Amino acid sequence: MAVKQTIDNYNALTGPQKAAVFMMSLPEEYASKFFSLLEDEEVKEISVVMAGLGTVTSAVVEKLFIDFANEVSNPTGMTGNYENTERLLLKALPRDRVASIMDDIRGPAGKTIWDKLGNVHEQMLANFLKNEYPQTVALILSKIKPDHAAKVLALLDQNFAMNVVMRIIGMDSVQKEVLEQVEATLRREFMNNMAKTAKQDSHELVANIFNNLESQIQTNFLTDMEERNVEEAEKIKALMFTFNDLPRLDATSIQTLIRAIDDTEKLAIAMKGASDEIKELFFSNMSERKVKMLKEEIEALGPVRVRDVDEAQAYIIQTAKMLKDEGSIKIPDSSSGDEYIY
């Protein structure tokens, strides 16, 4: 078995050898962090060199760290700007993540998260906030401009909105830690998702917006678009999935959707304004007992506002899309020509 060499000449070290000595000299928790930032090929190269290093004298290790410290200290000074920051981040993080971070730092729409929210469309912000706790929504609306907060509040469910208003009235001074936590959540879960949405196909983006409009307003927009550009309108409609598109789902998907709907009142309201075809689609995929209970609940509703029906049907579509994203159901593309025979 060959005896490994002793390295006692710092000047004879190659670049990979310097990297290997440096990594082996670090505490394990720091070395592991460095390795996590390297590409697989770089890790392999350094690992091979580490395995064949042999003995390295303390003088060589000391010289290595002195040179490293001198290099980092950079006596000529340094310039902190967006370009240098972006270049440094790109060496350690994926490009799309760096782009999101830099967009947030540059913040063309505002310097703070609250400035940025002031430039977000009220419908998009309302769609996000309606799933949050009333106390959180109250805090967020209290931090943005009153006219923008009013538009968002008007788009929320009436009972939920009043709960938010009462929380705003009773709001005391907010602890710094709580405010920072809310800001971090908004950056992570909302602004980052907006950045991803901005990269979507423009037709898909418009289709998603149209999906969230009330049915009459949605119809008006589509009719207007057809008059202006039939081809573009068809592309949008092909990407949309509305309540009236539910018959495109197969029986298994419909049954999965029914099981996932946990708000029976909204289901009843949605069915109240549904076509006979969709009612039969749901009834035929439910047990007799559930059908009877649902029909009784529908009859007990009495007159229902069109807006409430639209909201209930939107809830069912949102549930379907969530199941699609999870891979639990498949929604056929309306332009794919997929058909089913039962």
Side-chain angles (χ1 to χ4, degrees):
M1 181 177 179
V3 178
K4 291 183 178 179
Q5 61 178 338
T6 297
I7 299 176
D8 55 6
N9 182 3
Y10 173 76
N11 293 326
L13 287 177
T14 64
Q17 285 178 323
K18 289 181 180 180
V21 172
F22 180 80
M23 296 294 278
M24 293 187 70
S25 303
L26 293 174
E28 290 184 2
E29 62 269 25
Y30 295 118
S32 63
K33 290 180 180 179
F34 275 107
F35 273 125
S36 68
L37 299 174
L38 299 176
E39 300 290 340
D40 288 348
E41 289 302 318
E42 293 172 327
V43 173
K44 290 177 183 177
E45 182 180 359
I46 293 176
S47 299
V48 169
V49 176
M50 288 170 59
L53 265 181
T55 303
V56 182
T57 64
S58 59
V60 170
V61 176
E62 183 178 359
K63 173 63 174 170
L64 174 65
F65 275 90
I66 290 174
D67 275 9
F68 176 75
N70 289 335
E71 191 74 25
V72 172
S73 63
N74 193 0
T76 60
M78 62 180 68
T79 302
N81 54 32
Y82 289 121
E83 291 71 24
N84 289 341
T85 301
E86 185 172 18
R87 185 167 55 252
L88 178 62
L89 291 175
L90 283 170
K91 294 180 179 180
L93 300 172
R95 181 170 293 277
D96 59 344
R97 187 177 173 193
V98 172
S100 176
I101 292 172
M102 293 309 299
D103 284 345
D104 201 30
I105 292 174
R106 288 191 174 97
K111 294 181 179 179
T112 70
I113 187 67
W114 310 113
D115 292 327
K116 295 178 190 297
L117 287 179
N119 290 279
V120 173
H121 190 274
E122 58 268 17
Q123 183 66 65
M124 189 175 293
L125 186 54
N127 285 343
F128 173 76
L129 294 180
K130 67 183 181 182
N131 297 316
E132 297 297 316
Y133 291 109
Q135 187 67 36
T136 303
V137 178
L139 172 58
I140 293 171
L141 293 186
S142 71
K143 297 291 290 183
I144 64 177
K145 294 180 181 179
D147 59 335
H148 194 50
K151 293 177 182 177
V152 174
L153 194 67
L155 294 171
L156 298 175
D157 175 78
Q158 181 71 20
N159 291 333
F160 182 77
M162 281 307 303
N163 198 351
V164 170
V165 169
M166 298 308 296
R167 298 297 179 96
I168 294 176
I169 293 173
M171 187 180 294
D172 295 323
S173 59
V174 181
Q175 294 181 351
K176 181 181 178 182
E177 294 77 12
V178 174
L179 189 60
E180 289 176 348
Q181 185 178 4
V182 172
E183 289 179 359
T185 301
L186 286 170
R187 291 181 189 278
R188 182 178 65 252
E189 297 183 6
F190 184 61
M191 300 307 291
N192 286 348
N193 285 339
M194 275 191 62
K196 293 176 182 177
T197 301
K199 299 174 184 177
Q200 286 182 336
D201 172 78
S202 58
H203 294 92
E204 182 181 356
L205 178 58
V206 172
N208 287 334
I209 294 174
F210 279 17
N211 275 335
N212 287 283
L213 294 173
E214 293 183 9
S215 59
Q216 187 56 55
I217 298 175
Q218 182 188 97
T219 300
N220 292 341
F221 269 105
L222 287 171
T223 301
D224 193 5
M225 179 170 284
E226 286 174 342
E227 292 175 355
R228 297 180 184 216
N229 191 317
V230 175
E231 184 179 348
E232 295 291 347
E234 290 302 319
K235 288 180 181 179
I236 300 299
K237 288 194 288 185
L239 290 168
M240 290 177 65
F241 183 73
T242 66
F243 190 77
N244 290 328
D245 291 321
L246 285 173
R248 284 163 46 192
L249 299 181
D250 59 32
T252 301
S253 294
I254 283 291
Q255 291 163 13
T256 302
L257 173 60
I258 291 172
R259 288 194 296 270
I261 297 172
D262 53 11
D263 192 327
T264 56
E265 182 181 2
K266 283 189 175 180
L267 176 58
I269 294 173
M271 289 297 107
K272 179 84 173 180
S275 65
D276 291 341
E277 180 187 12
I278 292 179
K279 286 178 182 176
E280 181 56 31
L281 178 68
F282 274 73
F283 293 158
S284 63
N285 284 284
M286 300 170 66
S287 67
E288 291 185 8
R289 183 180 65 85
K290 287 187 176 181
V291 170
K292 181 181 179 182
M293 291 174 60
L294 179 57
K295 286 182 176 180
E296 289 176 351
E297 192 164 355
I298 293 172
E299 291 175 2
L301 284 173
V304 178
R305 294 185 305 177
V306 172
R307 181 179 177 181
D308 291 337
V309 172
D310 286 342
E311 289 178 356
Q313 293 181 351
Y315 158 76
I316 291 177
I317 291 302
Q318 288 166 4
T319 304
K321 289 182 177 179
M322 178 192 70
L323 293 171
K324 174 182 176 290
D325 292 340
E326 294 174 353
S328 301
I329 69 173
K330 181 179 180 181
I331 298 178
D333 191 318
S334 63
S335 61
S336 67
D338 290 343
E339 296 182 358
Y340 297 87
I341 298 176
Y342 302 100

